[in-house]
Amino acid sequence: MGNIAAGGPSLPQERRLVTEIPGPRSRQLTARRGSAVARGVSSTLPVYVDRAGGGVVVDVDGNSLIDFGSGIAVVSVGNAAPAVVEAVSDQVAAFTHTCFMVAPYEGYVAVCEQLARLTPGAHEKRSALFNSGAEAVENTVKIARAHTGRQAVVAFEHAYHGRTNLTMALTAKNMPYKQSFGPFASDVYRMPMAYPFRWPTGPERCGEEAAAQVISAIESQIGGSNVAAIVIEPIQGEGGFIVPGEGFLPALAEYARRSGIVFVADEVQTGFARTGAWFACEHEGVVPDLIATAKGIAGGLPLSAVTGRAEIMDSVHVGGLGGTYGGNPIACAAALATIATIEDQDLVGAARQVEATMLPRLRALQERFPGIGDVRGRGAMLAVELVKPGTKEPDAGVTQDVAKACHARGLLVLTAGTYGNVLRFLPPLVMPQHLLEEGLDVLEQAFAGLGTSQPEAPSTVISTPA
Ligand SMILES: *Cc1c(COP(=O)(O)O)cnc(C)c1O
């Protein structure tokens, strides 16, 4: 590997701060970036990364941070996971690209076979591979329209499906995703979401009532026979880790089946073991017609997929699907190694173990801090929603304060939510237990420090044993 410093799980698994966050070398890079990188591309935590692996990210100043983000649910198998590194190295030395549409190769076929085996449902399946989550979701709509001969697409409040023109139309939140970028694709209809914490009659009735509202609105406002697809995240990601009220997904899937509508699960964030199942639809026994995957699929290499019923997928004419890089051989090699790693290391079980560790501690934290209105999620996709105590009024300010305090103490956390008031936790599934616990300690300290007007002393230098 020449003089490239190795990352991966052999990196010391410790939280270690040797400078303030961000440190001087990161601040230099931030200054350089300002005159080269477009302002529209932002970073949650501007520490520049040198290496990463297991449960840590090491920056250019030598700080080792606990990673509760996984690059947004991507490196579930860990950064520079050994099997991924080996598979990618072998593939990159053999050939880097021919374009599957020009001269195909086995890796693409093998990934499609794995997707057929792993995704919900025993029916005959086909897959097509792309580069990004948005591209996969966009293709689910193309395929559903080709199959049904219909045009309307149903999406939901708080949805996030990407940043291309069609997926912006599907995405709910204006700032920062849509503001000033219109006009948007037409024939997209937004429906209420079964959001248990904010459902007027309470969480128990949320799923059933929301499904009835959605079905009634589709029938009266669009007409079920005009709808090509219902597109939904089985747990909403950017929208705030909203686990739909129980029964909502099965009711919509059943309505779609009755009405000849293609039921599309956007499992871009929830897929590949993240929620303690291979796919989040499994938690309620829902079998989607089409499923979009990306993020966790390939250990950090860009790859996405649409997998679905053979008769729907194959309704598209020859040549109708594709793209220059879709299913790139290096990304396919990474995906095969990622899938093998998830199985060999039982990372589905590991995600459940993350839930077993984190949920009780987050609930205990909620007892102490009345600003934590809700604790939710599944597996290693967990979140707390912050509100003004005693109300459901979102508190984005405190959310930012806690995130900043975590960052200053060496814990990388992300925020989310339509109202910017959700702290979300997405640790790599290979996160060592001691780091998971320590990350929770840091989170507790960040909450405990709230309102003490003692923002994290930026010069704190701590060191913990591996
Ligand atoms: C991230 C995400 C997307 C978009 O994926 P990109 O690879 O960023 O285009 C789509 N849907 C969901 C649910 C996501 O979390």
Side-chain angles (χ1 to χ4, degrees), residues 132-135 137 160-162 233 237-238 266 268-269 294-295:
S132 67
E135 212 185 338
V137 174
Y160 182 85
H161 297 291
E233 300 152 86
E238 309 302 299
D266 177 351
V268 167
Q269 191 155 162
K295 293 198 165 97

Side-chain angles (χ1 to χ4, degrees), residues 28-392:
Q28 268 171 20
L29 284 163
T30 296
R32 237 171 91 188
R33 164 188 181 144
S35 43
V37 178
R39 193 173 69 126
V41 184
S42 68
S43 300
T44 302
L45 174 54
V47 297
Y48 284 73
V49 178
D50 183 36
R51 283 160 292 157
V56 299
V57 170
V58 178
D59 74 11
V60 290
D61 290 291
N63 299 298
S64 177
L65 290 85
I66 300 176
D67 182 12
F68 272 15
S70 300
I72 318 187
V74 169
V75 285
S76 299
V77 293
N79 247 298
V84 174
V85 171
E86 195 187 335
V88 164
S89 304
D90 289 351
Q91 182 58 49
V92 88
F95 65 98
T96 49
H97 173 85
T98 58
C99 185
F100 194 75
M101 301 182 306
V102 174
Y105 38 87
E106 182 179 353
Y108 190 116
V109 179
V111 169
C112 295
E113 288 168 350
Q114 294 294 342
L115 285 163
R117 177 174 71 86
L118 296 167
T119 52
H123 50 274
E124 187 81 6
K125 293 172 197 158
R126 302 284 184 269
S127 291
L129 304 184
F130 305 96
N131 303 289
S132 67
E135 212 185 338
V137 174
E138 185 136 355
N139 274 279
T140 65
V141 173
K142 287 166 63 171
I143 295 162
R145 283 176 171 161
H147 174 70
T148 58
R150 308 172 180 179
Q151 292 183 358
V153 179
V154 168
F156 293 84
E157 291 171 350
H158 312 290
Y160 182 85
H161 297 291
R163 297 174 182 263
T164 59
N165 187 263
L166 178 54
T167 57
M168 269 193 300
L170 296 169
T171 289
K173 190 175 178 176
N174 179 49
M175 230 10 214
Y177 306 123
K178 302 168 79 166
Q179 173 66 34
S180 70
F181 297 149
F184 303 111
S186 61
D187 256 319
V188 171
Y189 300 85
R190 191 166 314 286
M191 293 292 154
M193 179 63 192
Y195 188 163
F197 178 61
R198 295 186 177 279
W199 195 255
T201 56
E204 284 74 30
R205 305 177 59 181
C206 169
E208 193 185 328
E209 289 181 2
Q213 280 186 19
V214 169
I215 291 165
S216 156
I218 291 175
E219 287 296 320
S220 61
Q221 296 173 31
I222 317 169
S225 62
N226 296 317
V227 178
I230 294 174
V231 181
I232 191 162
E233 300 152 86
I235 298 175
Q236 290 184 317
E238 309 302 299
F241 285 22
I242 300 165
V243 183
E246 199 184 331
F248 185 66
L249 294 173
L252 292 185
E254 165 57 21
Y255 167 72
R257 199 195 53 73
R258 285 203 308 274
S259 312
I261 298 169
V262 176
F263 185 80
V264 179
D266 177 351
E267 294 241 22
V268 167
Q269 191 155 162
T270 50
F272 288 91
R274 176 53 53 186
T275 69
W278 270 95
F279 296 96
C281 278
E282 295 168 35
H283 295 294
E284 286 199 88
V286 168
V287 177
D289 298 315
L290 298 181
I291 175 164
T293 52
K295 293 198 165 97
I297 193 175
L301 274 85
L303 184 72
S304 68
V306 178
T307 301
R309 294 185 187 281
E311 66 275 18
I312 298 177
M313 294 295 294
D314 284 342
S315 62
V316 177
H317 51 276
V318 172
L321 302 175
T324 304
Y325 289 114
N328 167 274
I330 302 165
C332 286
L336 295 171
T338 295
I339 290 165
T341 301
I342 294 172
E343 292 192 315
D344 293 348
Q345 300 186 16
D346 184 22
L347 295 185
V348 172
R352 292 203 201 105
Q353 186 52 47
V354 169
E355 177 179 330
T357 300
M358 289 190 78
L359 257 194
R361 288 194 59 183
L362 294 175
R363 294 214 167 104
L365 198 61
Q366 184 180 24
E367 298 293 307
R368 286 167 51 201
F369 297 96
I372 299 180
D374 196 25
V375 175
R376 59 179 179 251
R378 291 192 201 271
M381 185 173 179
L382 301 172
V384 297
E385 176 162 356
L386 300 179
V387 292
K388 303 256 155 57
T391 74
K392 291 198 174 170

